């Protein structure tokens, strides 16, 4: 089956992890490439806004967090520019994919379910909902932020939706992507995950280099914004109940197993 699926690995050019990545991905039989991680966003992409970060995140971002966000945004911007509906499995270089898993079949899963974004890993297991069983795995939907950008499948149309939702870089990229009520990246995931995060030291240092802190006014604005975000998240979760039911019906007529 021609799935139009390719793999992009975000990695620094001097990363010692690349030898292991080469061995892991060569066994998959999928086209893949490296995206050389960057440290600052190019001029044509959303820029880091320190004032917005302090106001809506509570602190400035570290250089590593800015670089991580810039790298993912650059990958998604390139995918968004595609004139055809293509699919990219985006992974970070501290992830190992299961070589026995059929990753091409994930595109069929997404097309049957009408999804354009599918998580294959999460850092946390917040409140979630079982949507349907797919053999020994289940399709779930996170109701709150699961965090992490280690591995996800995304279509070019959903990449365009995400890029279009961005104004600036003002929070870590996983938190930005988890705002499904704002960017339409609904947090569906296949569980158990078909990949693992290796126990290697993270290259993302979260200690901000600036000591700038939010003012009392910033905190008031943040509280009002956070309350509005919670309301929007609740409304989106309620709307998605209908989509969950439609997905279950789709797989009743077109069953898949993983």
């Amino acid at each position: 089956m021609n799935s139009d699926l390719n793999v992009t690995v975000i990695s620094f050019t001097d990363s010692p992890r690349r030898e292991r990545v080469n061995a892991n991905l060569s066994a998959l039989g999928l086209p893949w490439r490296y995206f050389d991680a960057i440290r600052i966003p190019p001029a044509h992409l959303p820029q880091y806004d320190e004032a917005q970060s302090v106001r809506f995140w509570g602190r400035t971002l570290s250089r590593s967090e800015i670089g991580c966000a810039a790298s993912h945004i650059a990958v998604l911007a390139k995918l968004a520019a595609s004139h055809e509906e293509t699919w990219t499995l985006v992974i970070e270089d501290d992830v190992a994919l299961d070589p026995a898993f059929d990753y091409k079949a994930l595109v069929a899963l997404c097309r049957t379910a009408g999804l354009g974004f599918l998580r294959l890993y999460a850092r946390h297991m917040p409140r979630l909902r079982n949507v349907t069983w797919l053999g020994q795995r289940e399709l779930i939907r996170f109701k709150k932020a699961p965090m992490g950008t280690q591995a996800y499948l995304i279509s070019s149309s959903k990449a365009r939706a995400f890029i279009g939702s961005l104004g600036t870089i003002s929070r870590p990229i996983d938190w930005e992507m988890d705002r499904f009520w704002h960017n339409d990246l609904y947090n569906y995931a296949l569980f158990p995950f078909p990949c693992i995060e290796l126990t290697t030291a993270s290259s993302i240092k979260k200690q901000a280099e600036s000591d700038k802190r939010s003012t009392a006014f910033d905190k008031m604005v943040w509280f009002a914004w956070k309350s509005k975000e919670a309301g929007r998240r609740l409304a989106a979760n309620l709307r998605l109940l209908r989509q969950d039911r439609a997905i279950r019906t789709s797989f009743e007529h077109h069953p898949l197993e993983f």
Side-chain angles (χ1 to χ4, degrees):
M1 178 181 63
N2 179 13
S3 64
D4 300 322
L5 175 65
N6 63 84
V7 182
T8 294
V9 186
I10 297 176
S11 174
F12 284 108
T13 55
D14 59 352
S15 172
R17 300 169 180 170
R18 287 199 171 192
E19 183 176 351
R20 181 203 55 77
V21 171
N22 292 343
N24 179 216
L25 296 187
S26 62
L28 295 181
L30 288 172
W32 67 276
R33 68 179 182 90
Y34 284 113
F35 174 84
D36 296 334
I38 56 180
R39 301 187 185 278
I40 58 174
H44 67 285
L45 293 179
Q47 300 295 298
Y48 172 56
D49 188 321
E50 182 179 89
Q52 291 289 303
S53 182
V54 170
R55 176 164 292 176
F56 294 109
W57 185 242
R59 62 168 174 82
T60 59
L61 300 185
S62 69
R63 285 192 292 266
S64 293
E65 288 174 316
I66 296 168
C68 181
S71 296
H72 279 274
I73 291 169
V75 168
L76 295 180
K78 184 174 182 179
L79 178 61
S82 172
H83 296 297
E84 299 179 356
E85 184 73 336
T86 59
W87 298 78
T88 297
L89 174 54
V90 182
I91 66 172
E92 296 175 352
D93 67 1
D94 57 351
V95 168
L97 300 180
D98 180 356
F101 185 82
D102 185 4
Y103 291 93
K104 290 182 179 180
L106 292 175
V107 176
L109 184 163
C110 288
R111 286 175 172 159
T112 300
L115 302 177
F117 178 70
L118 184 69
R119 280 183 166 274
L120 301 183
Y121 191 80
R123 275 283 177 85
H124 298 282
M125 297 296 283
R127 291 201 303 271
L128 57 86
R129 177 181 175 84
N130 171 279
V131 178
T132 190
W133 284 95
L134 300 170
Q136 298 185 45
R137 284 182 164 89
E138 58 181 319
L139 183 67
I140 60 176
R141 177 171 59 80
F142 293 110
K143 298 180 180 181
K144 297 186 71 175
M147 298 173 58
T149 51
Q150 285 77 9
Y152 56 89
L153 178 69
I154 188 167
S155 69
S156 51
S157 59
K158 280 297 182 181
R160 281 192 291 275
F162 177 69
I163 294 299
S165 74
L166 282 177
T168 63
I169 296 174
S170 56
R171 59 184 62 83
I173 188 61
D174 52 350
W175 282 95
E176 188 66 65
M177 294 182 72
D178 279 340
R179 296 176 66 221
F180 59 88
W181 55 91
H182 175 71
N183 56 34
D184 290 343
L185 298 187
Y186 305 124
N187 271 319
Y188 289 91
L190 188 65
F191 185 82
F193 304 125
C195 64
I196 60 171
E197 182 182 21
L198 301 177
T199 53
T200 57
S202 174
S203 61
I204 308 301
K205 307 302 181 185
K206 298 183 179 180
Q207 183 62 46
E209 286 78 13
S210 170
D211 60 358
K212 187 174 181 179
R213 289 291 183 264
S214 53
T215 65
F217 179 73
D218 287 333
K219 291 177 180 178
M220 287 190 296
V221 173
W222 176 86
F223 180 79
W225 176 82
K226 195 72 173 176
S227 299
K228 182 179 179 180
E229 290 278 283
R232 293 179 65 193
R233 183 181 66 225
L234 175 61
N237 277 316
L238 291 174
R239 289 195 304 270
L240 286 169
L241 292 175
R242 177 178 295 179
Q243 180 165 309
D244 293 345
R245 291 192 293 269
I247 290 172
R248 280 195 297 274
T249 300
S250 295
F251 283 112
E252 288 172 2
H253 292 95
H254 304 283
L256 289 175
E257 291 194 2
F258 290 90

